[in-house]
Amino acid sequence: MGEAKRRRQIEERAKAFARPIKRARFNLYTTGTRLSRTAYMCEEVSWWCSPEEDLLGMVARDTTDNDYLWMILARDRIGRFRCASLKTDFRTQEYAERQLWIAMSEVIEKGEIEEFGKQGDETNSPLDPFEVPADLPEEKLHPYFKLLKDEPGRAPARKVISELALWLAPKDPHFVREFQTNGFDQRLWELFLWATFREFFLDVEQLDAPDFRCRAPGVDFTVEATTVAPSKGGVLEEHPNPKTEEEREQFLRDYMPMKFGGALTGKLNKVNAAGQRYWERDESKDKPFVIAIADFHKPADKDELGPMTYTQSALWQYLYGSRVTWRFEGDQLIIDTHAIEEHEYKGKRVPSGFFDLPDAENVSAVIFSNAGTIAKFDRMGVTADFGADGYGYFRIGLRYNPDPNAMVGKAFSVDVRDEGYEEFWTQEIQVFHNPNAKHPLQVEALLGATHHFFEDGQLKSITPHDAVLSSFTMLMKYVKADDWDRESKAAQT
């Protein structure tokens, strides 16, 4: 047998050990794997997996030498997919792919996948964020955690969270317990932020405080995550629940700025045992410091969406101490800006303009998103083909509208299970830059987010074409007609 024929037979046989994998699925498995500099060094061109998905493969083009490389990834002892083998200097993509298949087949046939994935630096064992300890009473579990854990249609979110938690939880002994109980919202927000920063091609280090340090070539900043929680006392405890347009306007003018203000000023004034603020600690000193905030002050219910879908306008009013009104002169939209001195609700008054407060110059920017929710994790799981059988996932919302005379976003609706549907962690991120910042955060640090600046008395924005302003997701269970009839009759009796 000729050598060329023998090689072709080996390559043909190796195909059985590797199949193409959807990029969104590969990205989910490898969210914590890529280093920031790889974005500048290579272009990924194809993605592969073993039949059981316990090995992953990737082929990329070296953007400097214009040749190709392959990488095999396997789960380490903690369960994270990491690089286990790498070969470079292949002249074509096709040749690199064939050699990748052969290398993957050799590992599989030797039965050494588990040993192959060990890195030697693991400090923990695989964990399951949905495994409830025997000593944790059922009544202590957060209602959203129970829904997430038990609802069959939430399978995609469970898969996404299980993969992301492998990277965050081993470094934080309290993560899983708090995620399951009274810290659910905060921990979900941190998972969302971490995945988002990784998608921005940032190397993310978990800290005790602030929560994250994010780095890339020419980029270095720290982030403290916080959430707006339900008030447990005082005049803000009773939620206004606005119904009319006038009530909603008042709600956004005064109640919500106070809610955002409480969370933000709490972080602004917090000191550690050594009397240091966040920006004075070694990890943050002399670099941009950012607060990332999400609104979880009132959950959604069966009658209405959670307020988080529309409260971002209250945030920027409070940050910059300004609000806008609009009018038309002919066909042209005119936006007028009005300064705000304070916010008042039921006799409680707080000054407006967070960025003008003493010491706020040390906060470079405030990050906001209304997407750190179970629905987002569901959709990201569905795009990676982890949708639950028998369920539909439909997204309805508002996208950025580039029309200069537009007063609202552009409405959209989409079946998340459509073959061509794509979604990214970064699409709902908004960055409000502090005009008084001692260490400004460069736009390039979060390229692809929506960036807001307050200049010359006006709010100015840089918005990507695919930015999503707000959305909600309908989770629909499909049932057969006979099953529907039986369930309807049972409900009637």
Side-chain angles (χ1 to χ4, degrees), residues 104-121:
M104 291 176 67
S105 69
E106 290 174 350
V107 176
I108 295 169
E109 289 191 303
K110 289 178 182 177
E112 297 178 348
I113 294 178
E114 184 175 342
E115 189 66 28
F116 182 68
K118 290 181 180 177
Q119 301 281 330
D121 61 355

Side-chain angles (χ1 to χ4, degrees), residues 152-451:
R154 300 297 182 182
R158 286 196 297 274
K159 180 59 177 176
V160 173
I161 291 168
S162 295
E163 291 293 332
L164 301 186
L166 294 170
W167 293 91
L168 272 73
K171 296 183 180 180
D172 187 342
H174 306 293
F175 187 97
V176 172
R177 186 89 171 196
E178 293 178 0
F179 173 70
Q180 295 178 354
T181 57
N182 58 1
F184 178 86
D185 290 337
Q186 176 73 19
R187 293 310 196 175
L188 195 71
W189 176 231
E190 291 170 10
L191 281 169
F192 169 80
L193 285 172
W194 181 83
T196 299
F197 293 144
R198 294 293 299 151
E199 195 173 87
F200 279 125
F201 275 100
L202 297 168
D203 298 323
V204 185
E205 178 186 358
Q206 286 176 262
L207 306 172
D208 290 332
D211 292 304
F212 303 113
R213 182 177 182 181
C214 300
R215 285 180 280 188
V219 173
D220 191 355
F221 64 97
T222 58
V223 181
E224 174 65 11
T226 189
T227 58
V228 179
S231 295
K232 297 182 179 180
V235 300
L236 301 182
E237 182 177 13
E238 184 178 350
H239 194 271
N241 293 321
K243 301 298 182 184
T244 66
E245 188 62 34
E246 183 180 352
E247 289 173 347
R248 180 172 294 193
E249 181 180 338
Q250 184 177 7
F251 170 76
L252 295 174
R253 186 177 64 238
D254 293 309
Y255 182 87
M256 275 313 303
M258 289 185 177
K259 294 292 294 180
F260 281 119
L264 290 171
T265 56
K267 294 299 182 180
L268 180 68
N269 299 322
K270 187 172 182 178
V271 297
N272 62 7
Q276 295 174 312
R277 307 286 183 91
Y278 286 111
W279 55 85
E280 295 171 330
R281 305 181 193 196
D282 291 340
E283 298 87 352
S284 299
K285 193 175 296 184
D286 300 324
K287 60 175 64 76
F289 165 68
V290 176
I291 299 175
I293 190 167
D295 176 17
F296 292 103
H297 85 275
K298 184 180 184 294
D301 55 40
K302 64 180 181 180
D303 296 320
E304 61 181 353
L305 300 174
M308 70 173 64
T309 58
Y310 60 86
T311 54
Q312 62 262 41
S313 63
L315 175 61
W316 82 260
Q317 292 182 54
Y318 171 68
L319 293 176
Y320 297 117
S322 182
R323 68 168 57 97
V324 298
T325 56
W326 52 81
R327 53 190 169 85
F328 278 94
E329 291 185 0
D331 294 333
Q332 185 178 3
L333 176 67
I334 305 297
I335 297 176
D336 298 313
T337 305
H338 311 275
I340 306 172
E341 295 296 327
E342 63 180 12
H343 304 278
E344 188 272 333
Y345 183 77
K346 290 187 176 181
K348 180 181 175 68
R349 298 175 184 272
V350 299
S352 192
F354 174 78
F355 287 139
D356 294 321
L357 295 178
D359 293 323
E361 69 275 8
N362 296 290
V363 179
S364 304
V366 169
I367 292 175
F368 172 82
S369 177
N370 54 24
T373 62
I374 294 175
K376 178 72 174 185
F377 288 83
D378 265 332
R379 296 195 305 271
M380 296 303 288
V382 172
T383 61
D385 289 340
F386 286 111
D389 292 339
Y391 286 84
Y393 303 83
F394 301 91
R395 189 182 189 192
I396 300 168
L398 296 173
R399 296 189 186 278
Y400 166 65
N401 192 337
D403 183 349
N405 287 327
M407 294 187 294
V408 296
K410 185 180 296 185
F412 73 93
S413 62
V414 63
D415 183 344
V416 181
R417 301 195 87 148
D418 281 351
E419 185 62 31
Y421 180 76
E422 282 189 309
E423 185 168 345
F424 303 96
W425 294 105
T426 55
Q427 285 174 303
E428 297 93 348
I429 291 292
Q430 300 190 52
V431 185
F432 297 88
H433 292 262
N434 184 353
N436 309 314
K438 185 181 294 185
H439 302 289
L441 178 73
Q442 62 265 55
V443 171
E444 295 78 11
L446 298 172
L447 198 60
T450 296
H451 292 265

Side-chain angles (χ1 to χ4, degrees), residues 1 39 61 63 93 118 153 185 201 225 234 290 308 406 437 480 488:
M1 180 188 299
R61 181 180 67 87
T63 55
Q93 175 182 337
K118 290 181 180 177
D185 290 337
F201 275 100
V290 176
M308 70 173 64
K480 295 179 181 179
S488 298

Side-chain angles (χ1 to χ4, degrees), residues 69-80:
L69 61 90
W70 62 249
M71 177 188 295
I72 301 177
L73 303 97
R75 293 192 186 272
D76 65 9
R77 287 180 57 193
I78 294 177
R80 306 167 297 184

